[in-house]
Amino acid sequence: RIAEARARGETMTVWTELANGISGLDRPDGENFANRYEPPRRLLIVGAVQIAQALAAIARPLGIATTVIDPRGRFLTAERFPDVTLDDRWPDEAVAAGRPDPATAVVTLSHDPKIDDPALIAALNAPTGYIAALGSRRSHAARLERLGAQGFDADALARIDGPAGIDIAAIGPSEIALSIAAGMIRALRAPR
């Protein structure tokens, strides 16, 4: 059952009653010990840009399996993204194939609605744990308008963190990546 929960992107807690050593999924009365089995965290980055390079580098020591998605092959290279899975399919196809779950983050960075919007639609159509899109407040408002025209209501659109990340007055790709990573960790660690 632990493996099944992890495959669904869900955390499972197994409780052990200290008095008798019996373990189960229901929390026993009295003193007990909890073992939390968290699903593997994943990050799907859309757009093989400089911020993506920094974000992938930050995700690595956090143990977050990262895939960079970009149909533009000249940007999507192993030299630019070492130790990262590369996917050159169109983002909607790649994100849908990745089957985002509550332990998955989808972050769009390309600044191109033809690339970012389909990825956001695929992420919104799944139980994705964190969805973020890079851009100014003005470009985010336009993005929400486009996605609203695709049939997404206000609650669905509120799932998108835009502009992406925590406001730390970031300057440059590395600081922007740090702010996005912080927003991602906050969202993936939030109680469900």
Side-chain angles (χ1 to χ4, degrees), residues 143-164:
R143 174 185 304 119
L144 295 178
E145 198 172 305
R146 289 190 307 273
L147 295 172
Q150 294 289 320
F152 291 100
D153 63 19
D155 288 341
L157 296 175
R159 293 176 58 203
I160 303 172
D161 183 16

Side-chain angles (χ1 to χ4, degrees), residues 5 26 35-36 52 55 58 68 90-93 102 113 117 123 130 139:
D26 296 322
N35 273 325
R36 285 177 48 94
L55 184 56
I58 291 169
V68 178
W90 278 98
D92 54 341
E93 181 184 341
D117 287 4
Y130 178 68
S139 66

